[in-house]
């Protein structure tokens, strides 16, 4: 099935250039993952990406690689920042889908099941979950949303949703420049009423606990000491990002031939970065990136209020600081050896090492953390980047990655099996009938996936988190 893969180093496999590929492609897999690896379509998608002109190097597959729309999920594709292409499908449907982690000063050992349930209820009362749900914040109107397109989390923090120090703990400071709301379609504008909502399916809010510490110094610095309760938020730009991806895929498909680009697939629709369509896509994508940063910020605000209601004290007394907020579907201009590249990360997370100039000032000496969720019934990780990660454009996997499609999961996992695998973890879902889509059995073994890069020095583990209670979209 994976016969084309050629081993080129520890945990590194090459998909050699052939046919219309202009460069090789590279996949990161441990021997355990390779033994169960069965992703011919994802490999084909990576090979398709290698056919696009102007790439800065081989497209990369992270150890959580699986089939996506256009580029596989777990894909990293770097274009030459001047002469390369930009692709809507290499960013993905849910633009700036990402994960934010909060660290509290509460100890899990002191929280009863009753308290956890009260917290879930207070969170659910504030944050709509499920596909297509509109915001509960009546004050969120078009005027605010337009400001959010430009200013991201910065705008909502200025309006009182959060603390000024939250911003430094968000990738890009919570605001990507280059947004131009004028390029958004009417449909995209309409779907931007979903600010401050969680979304459906795979999106979640999870209360967890630090249950293993690998690097005590960094763990303490990030506020993640053993036994602490954490809150993880996984959501993105909701219907807005989806609409932008759909709109611009169409625009790019139409425009590509005019620029002499033969598209490998519709999903990998791409145009030159410097073209009008390319610049417009970046401007639209930046609106959605900022929308998603603001979305996770508003959700953080709502979660802090939920804790305040349950604990009858100021959120500040409970910690609830932002450890970090990271995008896993995004394209950004970044410098490598003084050269500007456009790095597309699609189901991949940036993790910068200590000393890298793009870290926020407070994280210069440690590197910024990356958050890697596992599944609703298994562990998640916090890691940091290393200097060796330059070969992946400082990228790591964004999760465990699926082994079963949603449909296959629903068909092959029984409710009994699912419940057994959840043990004492409390869970709630907007659509219980779809819980099996997201069962722990539908995902790879997160320990094996994280160790694939950690064991070759591309990332360093800081802590492992275990879920206590989870709200699924
Ligand atoms: P994606 O953005 O690709 O939908 O999901 C990212 C990753 O989150 C998945 O690959 C999976 O490993 C992880 N994940 C999915 N659901 C949950 C959950 O409920 N809790 C945690 N901790 N991780 C999850
Ligand atoms: Mn998403
Ligand atoms: Mn996601």
């Amino acid at each position: 099935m994976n016969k084309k893969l050629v081993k080129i180093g520890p945990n590194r496999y090459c998909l050699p250039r052939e046919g219309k590929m202009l460069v090789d492609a590279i996949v990161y897999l441990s021997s355990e993952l390779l033994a169960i690896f069965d992703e011919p379509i994802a490999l084909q998608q990576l090979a398709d990406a290698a056919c696009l002109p102007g790439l800065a190097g081989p497209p990369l597959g992270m150890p959580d690689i699986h089939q996506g729309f256009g580029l596989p999920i777990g894909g990293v594709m770097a274009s030459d920042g001047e002469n390369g292409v930009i692709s809507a499908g290499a960013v993905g449907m849910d633009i700036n889908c990402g994960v934010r982690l909060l660290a509290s000063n509460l100890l899990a050992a002191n929280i009863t099941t009753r308290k956890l349930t009260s917290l879930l209820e207070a969170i659910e009362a504030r944050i709509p979950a499920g596909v297509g749900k509109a915001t509960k914040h009546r004050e969120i109107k078009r005027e605010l949303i337009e400001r959010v397109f430009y200013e991201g989390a910065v705008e909502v923090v200025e309006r009182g949703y959060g603390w000024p120090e939250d911003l430094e703990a968000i990738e890009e400071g919570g605001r990507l420049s280059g947004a131009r709301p004028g390029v958004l379609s009417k449909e995209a504008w309409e779907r931007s009423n979903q600010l401050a909502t969680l979304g459906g399916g795979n999106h979640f809010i999870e209360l967890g606990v630090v249950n293993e510490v690998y690097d005590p110094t960094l763990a303490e610095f990030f506020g993640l000491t053993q036994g602490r309760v954490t809150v993880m938020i996984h959501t993105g730009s909701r219907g807005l990002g989806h609409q932008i991806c759909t709109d611009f895929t169409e625009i790019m498909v139409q425009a590509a031939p005019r620029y002499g680009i033969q598209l490998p697939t519709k999903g990998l629709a791409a145009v030159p970065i410097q073209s009008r369509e390319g610049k417009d896509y970046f401007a639209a994508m930046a609106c959605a990136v900022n929308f998603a940063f603001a979305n996770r910020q508003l959700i953080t605000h709502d979660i802090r209020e939920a804790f305040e209601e349950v604990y009858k004290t100021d959120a500040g007394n409970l910690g609830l600081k932002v450890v970090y907020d990271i995008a896993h579907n995004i394209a950004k201009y970044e410098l490598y050896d003084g050269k500007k590249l456009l790095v597309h990360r699609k189901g991949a997370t940036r993790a910068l090492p200590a000393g890298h100039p793009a870290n926020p000032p407070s994280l210069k000496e440690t590197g910024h953390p990356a958050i890697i969720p596992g599944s609703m019934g298994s562990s998640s990780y916090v890691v940091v980047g290393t200097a060796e990660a330059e070969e992946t454009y400082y990228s790591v996997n964004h999760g465990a990655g699926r082994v079963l499609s949603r449909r296959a999961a629903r068909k092959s996992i029984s409710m009994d099996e699912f419940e057994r695998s959840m043990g004492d973890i409390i869970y709630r879902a907007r659509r219980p009938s779809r819980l099996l889509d997201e069962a722990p059995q539908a995902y790879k073994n997160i320990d094996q996936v994280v160790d694939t890069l950690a064991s070759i020095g591309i990332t360093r583990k800081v802590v492992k988190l275990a879920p206590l209670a989870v709200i699924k979209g």
Side-chain angles (χ1 to χ4, degrees):
M1 208 55 98
N2 306 311
K3 58 182 181 300
K4 279 197 216 149
L5 288 175
V6 180
K7 186 156 187 164
I8 52 167
N11 294 356
R12 295 167 180 87
Y13 293 83
C14 176
L15 203 56
R17 186 180 150 183
E18 62 163 34
K20 291 184 177 169
M21 289 167 75
L22 299 169
V23 288
D24 295 338
I26 292 174
V27 185
Y28 291 81
L29 293 169
S30 63
S31 46
E32 287 108 328
L33 290 179
L34 183 72
I36 56 155
F37 190 68
D38 183 19
E39 291 284 347
I41 299 176
L43 287 183
Q44 184 57 48
Q45 291 180 322
L46 210 54
D48 289 341
C51 302
L52 289 172
L55 297 193
L60 307 175
M62 298 289 108
D64 56 344
I65 184 172
H66 55 101
Q67 181 187 345
F69 167 75
L71 196 68
I73 294 165
V76 179
M77 184 180 99
S79 299
D80 181 302
E82 301 296 334
N83 303 313
V85 293
I86 184 166
S87 167
V91 170
M93 287 284 184
D94 189 2
I95 297 168
N96 192 4
C97 191
V99 189
R100 177 182 288 214
L101 186 68
L102 312 180
S104 78
N105 54 25
L106 299 165
L107 289 173
N110 299 337
I111 299 194
T112 58
T113 305
R114 218 159 124 195
K115 202 82 160 181
L116 277 176
T117 308
S118 306
L119 281 169
L120 288 196
E121 282 167 2
I123 292 170
E124 278 180 325
R126 287 172 170 78
I127 304 166
V131 179
K133 282 281 152 49
T135 185
K136 276 196 180 174
H137 286 269
R138 289 223 191 86
E139 70 284 12
I140 294 183
K141 303 233 164 68
R142 191 180 165 112
E143 175 271 336
L144 183 148
I145 290 166
E146 182 161 10
R147 294 292 306 154
V148 159
F149 288 154
Y150 289 108
E151 300 294 334
V154 177
E155 182 65 27
V156 293
V157 168
E158 269 175 17
R159 295 190 191 213
Y161 303 97
W163 307 332
E165 64 267 31
D166 294 346
L167 295 173
E168 210 185 305
I170 309 176
E171 188 171 352
E172 296 297 313
R175 174 191 186 274
L176 183 67
S177 52
R180 273 188 286 125
V183 300
L184 301 179
S185 66
K186 184 167 147 281
E187 292 78 11
W189 273 102
E190 276 162 11
R191 294 175 81 174
S192 61
N193 68 349
Q194 296 171 13
L195 194 57
T197 67
L198 183 63
N202 53 344
H203 298 124
F204 62 83
I205 296 170
E206 187 171 286
L207 305 179
V209 52
V210 178
N211 78 338
E212 199 160 344
V213 173
Y214 304 98
D215 186 323
T217 313
L218 279 186
E220 174 140 17
F221 186 75
F222 294 147
L224 296 170
T225 47
Q226 182 80 30
R228 290 286 183 103
V229 171
T230 57
V231 185
M232 203 179 344
I233 303 160
H234 173 225
T235 184
S237 52
R238 314 288 296 97
L240 170 70
H242 205 283
Q243 189 65 45
I244 293 172
C245 184
T246 309
D247 292 343
F248 277 89
T249 295
E250 214 45 63
I251 292 170
M252 288 178 176
V253 166
Q254 304 277 328
R258 272 188 272 126
Y259 300 108
I261 298 172
Q262 236 195 327
L263 294 177
T265 61
K266 184 179 172 189
L268 276 166
V271 290
I273 284 171
Q274 304 289 5
S275 65
R276 184 174 59 79
E277 294 84 355
K279 287 181 176 164
D280 284 355
Y281 172 69
F282 189 89
M285 182 202 70
C287 292
V289 166
N290 288 332
F291 184 92
F293 282 142
N295 193 29
R296 294 194 288 273
Q297 184 64 41
L298 284 157
I299 289 175
T300 300
H301 169 83
D302 288 343
I303 289 174
R304 284 175 178 155
E305 279 195 355
F307 272 79
E308 286 179 338
E309 181 187 297
V310 171
Y311 279 91
K312 305 196 171 25
T313 182
D314 234 45
N317 297 330
L318 303 172
L320 295 173
K321 289 191 181 142
V322 181
V323 177
Y324 209 65
D325 177 315
I326 193 97
H328 55 227
N329 284 359
I330 196 166
K332 288 200 309 182
Y333 288 104
E334 295 175 358
L335 284 176
Y336 292 86
D337 295 328
K339 214 171 144 30
K340 191 168 92 166
L341 305 183
L342 181 73
V343 183
H344 300 74
R345 295 190 181 86
K346 157 66 162 317
T349 294
R350 193 184 69 171
L352 290 178
H356 194 288
N359 280 306
S362 60
L363 297 172
K364 276 261 150 65
E365 280 166 27
T366 56
H368 76 69
I371 304 145
I372 308 181
S375 79
M376 66 192 295
S378 61
S379 310
S380 299
Y381 281 83
V382 176
V383 303
V384 285
T386 66
E388 288 79 12
E390 194 171 2
E391 70 177 73
T392 62
Y393 308 99
Y394 302 112
S395 310
V396 300
N397 51 291
H398 85 309
R402 285 189 167 274
V403 269
L404 295 175
S405 69
R406 294 193 164 87
R407 223 175 120 236
R410 233 175 295 146
K411 274 177 75 176
S412 65
I413 305 165
S414 73
M415 203 58 199
D416 250 20
E417 263 178 282
F418 167 72
E419 275 169 9
R420 244 177 291 126
S421 65
M422 290 300 288
D424 292 334
I425 303 163
I426 304 171
Y427 58 91
R428 310 265 189 134
R430 192 62 199 62
R431 290 174 71 191
S433 61
R434 300 299 288 271
L435 262 173
L436 292 177
D437 297 20
E438 292 295 319
Q441 294 88 338
Y443 288 98
K444 286 182 197 162
N445 176 323
I446 186 68
D447 301 321
Q448 289 179 359
V449 175
V450 170
D451 282 338
T452 301
L453 294 181
S455 69
I456 57 172
I458 286 181
T459 185
R460 230 170 67 219
K461 299 194 276 190
V462 180
V463 299
K464 186 158 148 171
L465 309 170
L468 298 171
V470 53
I471 298 170
K472 295 293 275 196

